[in-house]
Amino acid sequence: MAKCYDNYTKEELIELLNKQDRELANKKYGLVWDSEKEPEQVVLDCENNFPILERVKEKEIKTDDSDYNILIEGDNFHSLSVLNYTHKGKIDVIYIDPPYNTGKRDSFLYNDRYVLKEDGYLHSKWLNFMEKRLNLAYKLLKDDGVIFISIDDNEQANLKLLCDKIFTEYNFISILPRLTKKGGKSSGNVQKNHDYVLVYSKTNEAELEHLEHTDKGFKYSDEYEEERGKYKLNQTLDYDTLGYVNSLDYPIIIDNKTYYAGNVSEQEFNLRKQADPKDGYRWRWSRDLFNFGMRNGFVIVNKKTNRIYTKTYQNAAIETDENGKYYVEITPRKRAISSIDLLNNEYSNDNAKKELRSILGKFKFDYPKPSQLIYDLLKRIGNKNALVLDFMAGSGTTAQAVLQLNSDDKGNRKFIICTNNENNICTDVCYPRIEKVINGYNKNGNGEFIEGLGGNLQYFKTSFIKNSLNKEQLKINLSNNCTEMLCVKEGIYNLKEESKDYKIFESNKKDKYLCVYYNFINDSFIDFLNALKKLEGKKIIYMFSSNDLVDKELFIEINDCVIETIPQKILDIYKKIVKENIKRG
């Protein structure tokens, strides 16, 4: 490592040591890493420019009058900066699939260069990258919000400590291993077939739902299906045990046929009873429980194997009352998420590639996640109106999962997904996938037509307003270019009326209005007021103000309205983000 400092002056080395001392002064336990030797350019861009959104109207998708979902194309640091104005404290759940930082050429891009294994700051660059974005994401979550983060062994330990720092270790929920593939060749001493999903909450107010047990083994029907649901063959009633109990070794007669535990003959049964061994076959149930189960449909005989099986129902079980009497309890069986729930093939990368190929046909994207993974994680968030954010959206899996879950349970969840356009991932994979899932598509490009799930989408790109030495001019410039941000903030996009100095947008249901006045008060303000008087419904009014103050008496004749100023609140948020993320010395 000494070679790294050969070109430093004495003064620079002293300052570096002083800086490290300052950073370590308050560290008792936790994660410590090198500060940025090479600051992120996308972050530095925000020092002299203010991120905004530009609407791409031709990529809007509208199938009904529900609220819009949002896709933002651009660097996620810029997107998160915008969202810290439009959606601070409004997000219910975040899912992200960050770069795994494997040190390979296509893993983690930093300042337009891939970070390779030989880089001495491999982990530090990744941690600086992640810390900035997770800090911004933390502010977006509601107090009962939850974040899910996919990761593998390369950074799992570091990410856990980083999240302990940002979300605190008290809000750590779990690390869930996920099956990535079955079989395959081993590249080292251990064949790696899993990665992880880290789960954190913003505060201890968050809870994951207990869901009905949906084991796919429940596939058999009988006369009880209407009230108990389908059943599965749970296990044989007899088993070979080290804890043989004589009283549980008894003959069972069904349809004039006698059965003995272990499928033995009567002679073998009698010899076993006389020997009373320490281990051997016996029934799992007592005589009383068997008789009750038999009367109430919890027992089935497989005549081919000559074995007796117990039946387990989706929505029913055998219970006992305070007197020890058996009864059938009929209620949906719910349970908490298990730490090994994600070790099924439906959550694998192989399954994800097949899924994406079925939608897009031929494509080039190496690391998709299966929508079933995000679908099942989102089901654990009980709110059917949840707002879901994925600021590392890649191929758009989160969007598909949200749309599918809404279709299945009649929910009204909405998504905001953000991705850059590296290798045209946004324009050629993410957006086309969402469009097809909403409108329908031919499987594999030429096969069976799959009906669309419906929904609406607004498409935006990140852009910038250049900082101006003239503060008043900067405020005017930002006010004139923040319209799309205000549309995203209020979820209202349909232009109803406009003039040189104002614009009015209406919601899809025409019951809410976004009204923006861009100028200092002049003759056009009367026209703006007259337009407002014609509107029936709630009106959110954004008014330009150079001093962040508006005389609300101006709107005394306007009913059902809320008045906000622009652009000072936007500037305040951006200045704070810059101060927190661009550290000098």
Side-chain angles (χ1 to χ4, degrees):
M1 290 298 293
K3 291 181 180 178
C4 298
Y5 303 106
D6 285 348
N7 296 323
Y8 279 59
T9 67
K10 179 180 178 181
E11 289 75 18
E12 288 174 333
L13 288 170
I14 290 172
E15 175 54 29
L16 180 60
L17 289 170
N18 287 334
K19 183 179 177 183
Q20 290 176 344
D21 286 344
R22 290 194 298 272
E23 291 174 351
L24 292 170
N26 297 316
K27 298 282 187 181
K28 293 184 175 64
Y29 169 78
L31 186 64
V32 180
W33 67 92
D34 294 297
S35 296
E36 290 178 308
K37 302 295 183 291
E38 180 190 349
E40 259 192 284
Q41 187 58 49
V42 295
V43 178
L44 294 178
D45 288 342
C46 297
E47 190 171 25
N48 297 306
N49 303 276
F50 297 98
I52 59 169
L53 297 177
E54 292 182 349
R55 186 178 180 187
V56 184
K57 190 72 170 66
E58 61 269 23
K59 290 190 175 181
E60 175 184 327
I61 302 172
K62 191 173 189 299
T63 66
D64 53 42
D65 65 355
S66 65
D67 292 335
Y68 283 97
N69 300 289
I70 297 168
L71 168 58
I72 302 175
E73 176 192 329
D75 185 87
N76 53 29
F77 184 84
H78 301 152
S79 300
L80 288 168
S81 297
V82 170
L83 292 172
N84 261 262
Y85 170 67
T86 64
H87 283 81
K88 187 175 182 179
K90 294 181 180 180
I91 303 296
D92 294 285
V93 55
I94 296 173
Y95 171 83
I96 55 171
D97 182 18
Y100 280 10
N101 201 25
T102 62
K104 296 179 180 178
R105 190 161 296 279
D106 60 348
S107 176
F108 172 42
L109 198 65
Y110 189 89
N111 281 351
D112 295 326
R113 295 191 304 275
Y114 285 109
V115 183
L116 304 180
K117 246 186 190 350
E118 307 82 58
D119 192 322
Y121 295 101
L122 171 73
H123 298 290
S124 294
K125 287 179 179 178
W126 189 88
L127 284 165
N128 282 307
F129 170 89
M130 289 297 296
E131 183 186 37
K132 294 182 184 73
R133 287 151 180 83
L134 288 176
N135 277 328
L136 292 174
Y138 176 86
K139 297 172 185 176
L140 296 176
L141 280 172
K142 292 180 178 178
D143 284 345
D144 61 350
V146 175
I147 183 168
F148 300 97
I149 309 174
S150 286
I151 201 66
D152 75 353
D153 285 324
N154 288 284
E155 295 289 0
Q156 182 273 133
N158 290 331
L159 180 61
K160 171 68 170 63
L161 287 173
L162 178 61
C163 288
D164 284 348
K165 174 185 175 183
I166 295 172
F167 297 93
T168 80
E169 60 186 298
Y170 304 105
N171 293 318
F172 168 68
I173 295 176
S174 187
I175 298 179
L176 307 175
R178 176 190 73 101
L179 180 72
T180 56
K181 61 181 178 180
K182 281 191 173 181
K185 295 181 180 179
S186 173
S187 58
N189 294 321
V190 177
Q191 184 172 290
K192 295 182 179 180
N193 287 21
H194 75 282
D195 59 14
Y196 311 92
V197 177
L198 268 67
V199 190
Y200 278 82
S201 58
K202 184 173 183 179
T203 70
N204 59 12
E205 293 181 27
E207 290 185 4
L208 298 183
E209 288 281 294
H210 288 211
L211 299 180
E212 290 185 27
H213 193 49
T214 55
D215 188 326
K216 292 182 179 177
F218 292 105
K219 58 184 179 181
Y220 300 109
S221 299
D222 62 11
E223 67 270 29
Y224 301 104
E225 181 178 354
E226 188 171 334
E227 59 177 337
R228 299 182 188 175
K230 292 187 176 183
Y231 73 90
K232 67 177 179 178
L233 298 178
N234 193 34
Q235 54 195 354
T236 57
L237 187 61
D238 62 339
Y239 75 120
D240 193 3
T241 173
L242 298 177
Y244 176 82
V245 179
N246 200 297
S247 63
L248 294 177
D249 191 11
Y250 54 88
I252 290 176
I253 301 175
I254 302 175
D255 294 334
N256 297 318
K257 181 176 176 63
T258 304
Y259 298 85
Y260 302 101
N263 200 21
V264 299
S265 66
E266 181 180 4
Q267 182 181 10
E268 290 172 302
F269 162 72
N270 288 328
L271 290 173
R272 185 172 64 205
K273 289 285 286 183
Q274 292 170 12
D276 194 11
K278 291 183 178 179
D279 57 83
Y281 276 95
R282 50 93 162 175
W283 303 116
R284 298 174 190 271
W285 289 358
S286 68
R287 283 180 183 271
D288 287 345
L289 178 54
F290 170 78
N291 290 334
F292 178 89
M294 190 67 191
R295 289 195 304 271
N296 290 279
F298 287 91
V299 173
I300 189 169
V301 177
N302 187 323
K303 294 182 179 179
K304 288 184 178 180
T305 63
N306 211 34
R307 304 289 291 276
I308 302 173
Y309 291 81
T310 58
K311 294 161 67 174
T312 300
Y313 290 89
Q314 282 180 315
N315 301 324
I318 299 174
E319 303 286 351
T320 56
D321 61 21
E322 63 275 11
N323 299 313
K325 298 292 185 181
Y326 298 112
Y327 69 96
V328 179
E329 175 73 11
I330 299 177
T331 180
R333 297 289 153 187
K334 293 187 176 184
R335 68 167 175 81
I337 190 170
S338 165
S339 61
I340 57 172
D341 271 354
L342 304 184
L343 295 177
N344 292 318
N345 191 51
E346 62 185 341
Y347 303 118
S348 71
N349 292 347
D350 291 340
N351 199 43
K353 290 178 181 179
K354 291 176 183 176
E355 176 182 48
L356 190 53
R357 190 176 296 113
S358 74
I359 300 170
L360 297 179
K362 292 183 178 180
F363 70 97
K364 173 61 176 168
F365 187 71
D366 291 331
Y367 308 109
K369 291 294 186 292
S371 64
Q372 191 65 47
L373 168 68
I374 304 171
Y375 179 102
D376 284 352
L377 293 176
L378 293 177
K379 281 177 68 176
R380 293 289 171 176
I381 308 299
N383 181 6
K384 288 188 177 183
N385 297 302
L387 182 56
V388 181
L389 170 65
D390 182 349
F391 55 88
M392 296 180 176
S395 67
T397 307
T398 297
Q400 180 178 344
V402 170
L403 294 169
Q404 186 64 62
L405 186 53
N406 282 342
S407 176
D408 291 347
D409 69 3
K410 311 305 178 188
N412 189 38
R413 302 167 189 84
K414 296 300 170 189
F415 62 77
I416 300 173
I417 65 172
C418 315
T419 183
N420 60 28
N421 201 30
E422 179 187 337
N423 298 321
N424 297 322
I425 183 64
C426 188
T427 55
D428 293 356
V429 180
C430 186
Y431 175 76
R433 178 184 195 169
I434 297 171
E435 188 275 329
K436 288 176 180 292
V437 170
I438 289 176
N439 290 325
Y441 59 95
N442 290 100
K443 197 171 182 180
N444 298 315
N446 55 10
E448 171 194 2
F449 183 76
I450 306 299
E451 292 290 338
L453 300 175
N456 301 325
L457 181 76
Q458 289 288 339
Y459 191 116
F460 295 91
K461 289 184 177 182
T462 56
S463 186
F464 288 103
I465 290 294
K466 199 163 187 61
N467 200 351
S468 171
L469 294 176
N470 185 317
K471 292 184 179 180
E472 292 304 315
Q473 187 60 50
L474 171 62
K475 289 180 179 181
I476 292 171
N477 291 345
L478 185 55
S479 294
N480 289 333
N481 289 277
C482 71
T483 305
E484 282 79 3
M485 292 169 60
L486 300 180
C487 289
V488 168
K489 187 172 188 286
E490 302 300 338
I492 302 173
Y493 302 93
N494 305 312
L495 184 63
K496 178 179 174 62
E497 184 175 337
E498 70 174 321
S499 75
K500 177 185 175 183
D501 290 336
Y502 68 84
K503 287 183 181 180
I504 296 175
F505 299 83
E506 65 181 357
S507 65
N508 284 346
K509 294 181 180 179
K510 303 182 187 302
D511 60 349
K512 194 164 66 169
Y513 300 89
L514 167 63
C515 315
V516 190
Y517 190 80
Y518 300 95
N519 210 338
F520 294 99
I521 293 177
N522 60 27
D523 293 343
S524 66
F525 187 70
I526 301 300
D527 296 332
F528 182 57
L529 286 178
N530 289 332
L532 295 180
K533 291 175 184 178
K534 298 175 185 177
L535 304 177
E536 295 290 335
K538 184 176 181 180
K539 294 163 278 292
I540 303 101
I541 301 169
Y542 283 89
M543 185 81 179
F544 172 78
S545 172
S546 61
N547 58 8
D548 204 29
L549 296 173
V550 170
D551 182 3
K552 295 187 179 181
E553 291 295 316
L554 294 169
F555 299 94
I556 195 168
E557 297 181 16
I558 308 301
N559 297 320
D560 195 11
C561 69
V562 176
I563 303 164
E564 300 279 353
T565 61
I566 51 173
Q568 190 59 50
K569 291 180 181 177
I570 304 173
L571 287 170
D572 289 344
I573 287 172
Y574 284 171
K575 288 175 182 177
K576 187 175 181 181
I577 290 173
V578 168
K579 185 177 179 181
E580 290 174 346
N581 290 285
I582 302 179
K583 299 179 174 63
R584 300 298 184 187

